[in-house]
């Protein structure tokens, strides 16, 4: 889950170091992925992700999230540059209505720029939320 970036403006963005895999993440997941070595990056590239601008109850209906896969990660002095390949749009309303199922903090996480990894089955959570994953991520 990557919050705080417009996923439709570019195919990459820079996450500040202090916001990359440091918050809203379980301790065991953080210790597994925080090194960002070649092996870890290869594992992260296998995980589906959601990229979305910050949202709250007042703007959620005007924002779309992006279902994507990370294609490259580069550690830089000023942050972590993440490159991604988009798959399809998902209304941010789907995220808002399914915060618990997506293991998101119910109050603040959607309004805080950060990159985290959740210990959930994202495809299953989205399908359970009514997103048809194949054929363009249509929402029922």
């Amino acid at each position: 889950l990557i919050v705080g970036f417009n996923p439709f403006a570019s195919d990459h963005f820079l996450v500040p170091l202090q916001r990359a895999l440091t918050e809203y993440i379980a301790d065991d997941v953080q210790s597994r992925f925080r090194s960002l070595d070649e092996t870890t990056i290869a594992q992260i590239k296998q995980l589906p992700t959601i990229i979305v601008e910050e949202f709250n109850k007042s703007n959620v209906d005007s924002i779309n999230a992006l279902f994507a896969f990370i294609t490259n990660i580069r550690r830089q002095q000023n942050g972590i540059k993440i490159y991604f390949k988009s798959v399809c749009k998902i209304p941010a309303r789907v995220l808002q209505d399914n915060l618990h199922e997506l293991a998101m903090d119910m109050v603040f996480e959607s309004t805080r720029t950060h990159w985290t990894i959740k210990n959930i089955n994202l495809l299953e959570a989205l399908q359970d939320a009514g997103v048809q994953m194949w054929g363009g991520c249509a929402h029922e």
Side-chain angles (χ1 to χ4, degrees):
L1 174 66
I2 302 169
V3 176
F5 301 91
N6 178 350
F8 305 103
S10 177
D11 68 347
H12 63 278
F13 46 81
L14 188 66
V15 179
L17 288 172
Q18 68 274 22
R19 303 270 182 108
L21 304 176
T22 58
E23 50 192 63
Y24 302 107
I25 187 168
D27 291 341
D28 62 322
V29 176
Q30 183 183 40
S31 64
R32 179 177 168 199
F33 291 107
R34 75 173 150 219
S35 70
L36 290 180
D37 59 20
E38 287 183 34
T39 302
T40 303
I41 290 172
Q43 292 172 347
I44 291 170
K45 289 169 146 182
Q46 300 298 311
L47 302 173
T49 192
I50 291 176
I51 305 167
V52 64
E53 293 178 75
E54 291 183 4
F55 66 91
N56 56 48
K57 290 180 183 178
S58 67
N59 71 352
V60 69
D61 291 318
S62 64
I63 294 177
N64 283 309
L66 184 69
F67 180 80
F69 283 90
I70 293 173
T71 58
N72 199 13
I73 298 171
R74 275 194 0 224
R75 185 183 293 266
Q76 299 182 173
Q77 184 173 346
N78 59 342
I80 308 291
K81 189 165 274 191
I82 298 176
Y83 296 84
F84 62 91
K85 170 122 177 87
S86 65
V87 176
C88 59
K89 292 190 291 189
I90 297 172
R93 169 58 64 190
V94 172
L95 307 181
Q96 178 68 40
D97 291 347
N98 294 279
L99 293 173
H100 181 72
E101 292 79 6
L102 295 168
M104 291 179 67
D105 177 81
M106 305 292 266
V107 180
F108 298 113
E109 189 167 4
S110 66
T111 63
R112 175 117 171 120
T113 295
H114 69 288
W115 170 35
T116 189
I117 296 175
K118 303 293 187 171
N119 190 14
I120 63 166
N121 182 327
L122 180 58
L123 295 175
E124 180 180 275
L126 291 174
Q127 288 173 339
D128 288 351
V131 177
Q132 298 175 4
M133 297 307 298
W134 317 120
C137 290
H139 184 253
E140 298 175 342

